[in-house]
Amino acid sequence: DTQMTQSPSSLSASVGDRVTITCRASQSINTYLNWYHQQPGKAPKLLIYATSTLQRGVPSRFSGRPSGTDFTLTISSLQPEDFGVYYCQQSHTAPWTFGQGTRVDIK
Amino acid sequence: QVQLQESGPGLVKPSETLSLTCTVSGDSITGYHWSWVRQPPGGGLEWIGYIYYNGVTNYNPSLKSRLTISVDLSKNQFSLKLGSVTAADTADYYCARDRRGANYFYGMDVWGQGTTVTVSS
């Protein structure tokens, strides 16, 4: 299975801050990397697919890009509704696998 | 717009079979892949498997020996059966639409609200 490793595991940031989360795959996944946001008690929500394509309706403050062998999710200006856990997921080779999650708290 | 709703027992006894159904509304189940994902209490996300509307499946090898996913086109539903459950199968279970493009998959874009299943005697 392809192992996905996220960093950091958690972070605390202020409204308006720029936040970056990194995801690394244990083997090549091309650009088949997706990002989700999950708020407490809710289902995950797809933010970005295929590394950098914004899902319809997702605010433009979210962006994704490759970074060498890693992938990054950036929130350009953190908003209060952005708290929760962010997961990366590879859809290159089944079984699909997720990162362990990055918890984002609002200071 | 398309909506998914999971249903099934919230409590299952150890060694028995966990059975859940996902009802798709607002669109036809035809033409898409449909996945199940679970999340243990306080834990991360685990993909269980998917089914294409024509019945073709792909299961997580870690669960394959106990798992059956099926589809009912007439009811616009797909279902999950997981046998010989233990406490480790206690989790929130989600159904989701798994988008496929020409060659690859592009994420799960529609999710049910999830249902909590507890395995306990």
Side-chain angles (χ1 to χ4, degrees):
Chain A
D1 298 1
T2 303
Q3 184 176 353
M4 307 300 293
T5 304
Q6 287 181 233
S7 61
S9 296
S10 65
L11 65 91
S12 184
S14 299
V15 172
D17 283 354
R18 182 181 183 89
V19 168
T20 297
I21 300 168
T22 298
C23 179
R24 174 173 294 177
S26 63
Q27 59 194 56
S28 174
I29 58 170
N30 202 317
T31 60
Y32 300 103
L33 188 283
N34 312 305
W35 290 97
Y36 300 84
H37 176 218
Q38 185 179 34
Q39 292 182 312
K42 294 191 175 182
K45 174 188 173 184
L46 180 65
L47 296 175
I48 287 172
Y49 62 92
T51 298
S52 59
T53 304
L54 217 59
Q55 173 68 4
R56 188 182 310 167
V58 174
S60 59
R61 64 180 180 274
F62 291 93
S63 64
R65 67 181 188 94
S67 179
T69 58
D70 295 347
F71 301 85
T72 61
L73 171 70
T74 297
I75 309 171
S76 61
S77 178
L78 194 67
Q79 298 301 303
E81 61 267 29
D82 298 337
F83 76 93
V85 183
Y86 291 83
Y87 295 94
C88 61
Q89 176 238 339
Q90 65 84 17
S91 54
H92 180 270
T93 304
W96 308 154
T97 45
F98 294 86
Q100 80 278 16
T102 295
R103 183 174 303 279
V104 175
D105 293 323
I106 308 295
K107 278 183 183 176
Chain B
Q1 74 277 16
V2 60
Q3 292 183 310
L4 309 183
Q5 178 68 58
E6 303 90 350
S7 59
L11 181 64
V12 182
K13 290 182 169 53
S15 80
E16 296 190 344
T17 295
L18 182 162
S19 297
L20 296 174
T21 295
C22 183
T23 300
V24 180
S25 60
D27 197 1
S28 172
I29 204 169
T30 302
Y32 294 101
H33 291 75
W34 304 91
S35 273
W36 288 98
V37 175
R38 70 180 183 178
Q39 184 172 38
L45 301 169
E46 179 184 29
W47 178 74
I48 296 170
Y50 70 60
I51 188 164
Y52 192 39
Y53 78 99
N54 64 2
V56 172
T57 56
N58 195 329
Y59 296 158
N60 192 321
S62 68
L63 299 169
K64 188 173 184 177
S65 64
R66 303 189 288 132
L67 181 63
T68 301
I69 299 176
S70 59
V71 65
D72 187 334
L73 298 180
S74 67
K75 294 182 179 179
N76 227 36
Q77 294 176 336
F78 60 105
S79 298
L80 162 75
K81 290 187 186 299
L82 184 65
S84 304
V85 296
T86 70
D89 296 308
T90 293
D92 289 334
Y93 285 77
Y94 297 96
C95 56
R97 187 172 72 179
D98 208 341
R99 293 185 311 187
R100 180 175 170 86
N103 298 305
Y104 284 96
F105 287 78
Y106 294 96
M108 289 169 269
D109 66 334
V110 182
W111 293 67
Q113 65 186 26
T115 188
T116 299
V117 178
T118 302
V119 178
S120 175
S121 55

